[in-house]
Amino acid sequence: MLAVFKRDLISYFTTPIGYVYMAIFLAVNGGAFSLFTLQQGADSSISSYFTAMIFALAILIPILTMKIFSEEKKQKTEQLLMTSPISLGGMVFGKFLAAFTIFTGTLLIGCLNFFALIEYGPHKTVYENVIVNGTETRVGKLVSEYNTGILVGSVIALLLVGAAFIAIGVFVSSLTENQIVSAIATIATMGVFLLIGFLNSYIPFAPIREVLSWLSIYSRFGNFMNGIFDFAAMLYYISITFVFLFLTVRIYEKRRWA
């Protein structure tokens, strides 16, 4: 697995894909951050920023994943991978981990924006009692309106959403040798998981609405933006990641014995 991980990680920097992804991601991240937080002043909304980033990931992550297996098929190196002394699970997870590493590193660089938000974003006055020369005095100080816990929780949730999207992209890439088809199909699949929650208002049948809400990636993200660390949502994102990686392994098991 480690050999596959290193090989794929290096390939992101020996081809333009890694640089293109990082440049576009940081540009979109910076633009969304400026638009929804710094430029809004007292009306700034960190939830709008994270919402924009979730939908942006549905477009950006296919840049990372479209070549993962499609390129192996095109270059006729897929058979070498399947016959190499490595388990299929290790092969799939190594490729997933390489893409996830690029995604995580780029996201953490983008999170440096939060220092500007805490420093220059909206502030509020917090009063506390202090003892000055033996006398209790009420003193006010300015603190950022943004709770660090909400920011950290939302970033962790965004990492898990990214992991789920990468796993979907890995699976779709294993189905075709055309990278463009892989990217478009990945975007479409991610779009379904994001948008099904918005269909609830148009469906009168309650059980169907509950199923759609349960499947929706976006609906589960809301608790994190409200300061609630939702462990059930974390488990859901991890499960989506596992399911699509497992399906990818099953595809290659079938090909190995075909």
Side-chain angles (χ1 to χ4, degrees):
M1 184 192 79
L2 187 60
V4 173
F5 166 73
K6 289 181 178 179
R7 172 177 173 268
D8 276 51
L9 186 62
I10 292 173
S11 73
Y12 283 114
F13 297 102
T14 55
T15 61
I17 289 180
Y19 300 104
V20 169
Y21 168 79
M22 295 176 69
I24 296 176
F25 180 95
L26 293 175
V28 171
N29 178 72
F33 183 83
S34 176
L35 179 63
F36 294 113
T37 59
L38 297 181
Q39 293 184 23
Q40 296 299 319
D43 297 324
S44 64
S45 173
I46 198 66
S47 61
S48 297
Y49 160 73
F50 280 111
T51 297
M53 287 309 300
I54 288 175
F55 282 90
L57 290 183
I59 306 297
L60 294 173
I61 283 182
I63 297 176
L64 283 179
T65 62
M66 65 183 184
K67 78 176 188 68
I68 286 181
F69 283 112
S70 299
E71 189 175 41
E72 302 285 359
K73 295 174 185 290
K74 187 175 181 180
Q75 296 183 352
K76 310 300 181 183
T77 57
E78 186 181 51
Q79 291 299 324
L80 293 176
L81 276 177
M82 290 194 294
T83 56
S84 61
I86 182 175
S87 68
L88 294 178
M91 176 189 75
V92 171
F93 187 71
K95 285 181 169 292
F96 163 82
L97 194 59
F100 185 69
T101 299
I102 298 295
F103 164 71
T104 301
T106 309
L107 177 61
L108 293 180
I109 293 173
C111 287
L112 295 175
N113 291 327
F114 294 146
F115 291 104
L117 180 64
I118 294 173
E119 182 69 23
Y120 302 108
H123 286 67
K124 60 184 177 181
T125 303
V126 175
Y127 294 93
E128 59 181 10
N129 295 326
V130 298
I131 305 298
V132 179
N133 297 326
T135 303
E136 186 176 17
T137 305
R138 188 171 177 81
V139 177
K141 62 178 181 179
L142 286 176
V143 298
S144 174
E145 289 190 358
Y146 290 101
N147 186 296
T148 304
I150 293 178
L151 295 177
V152 172
S154 297
V155 170
I156 292 174
L158 197 61
L159 283 171
L160 293 175
V161 171
F165 282 174
I166 291 171
I168 293 172
V170 170
F171 170 72
V172 174
S173 182
S174 69
L175 300 176
T176 177
E177 67 176 27
N178 189 309
Q179 295 187 30
I180 302 301
V181 171
S182 173
I184 293 174
T186 301
I187 292 172
T189 306
M190 293 176 184
V192 169
F193 276 98
L194 283 174
L195 297 176
I196 52 178
F198 293 95
L199 298 176
N200 283 348
S201 57
Y202 302 100
I203 297 177
F205 193 49
I208 295 180
R209 290 202 303 269
E210 291 180 5
V211 171
L212 292 178
S213 295
W214 186 85
L215 289 173
S216 174
I217 284 179
Y218 175 73
S219 298
R220 291 175 175 271
F221 197 89
N223 285 337
F224 293 96
M225 294 186 292
N226 292 322
I228 302 172
F229 205 80
D230 192 340
F231 288 98
M234 291 180 63
L235 181 60
Y236 168 77
Y237 295 140
I238 293 171
S239 298
I240 291 292
T241 304
F242 173 80
V243 166
F244 278 96
L245 291 180
F246 174 77
L247 290 175
T248 307
V249 173
R250 293 295 297 169
I251 285 175
Y252 276 95
E253 285 181 347
K254 183 177 180 180
R255 287 179 184 167
R256 173 177 280 183
W257 299 110

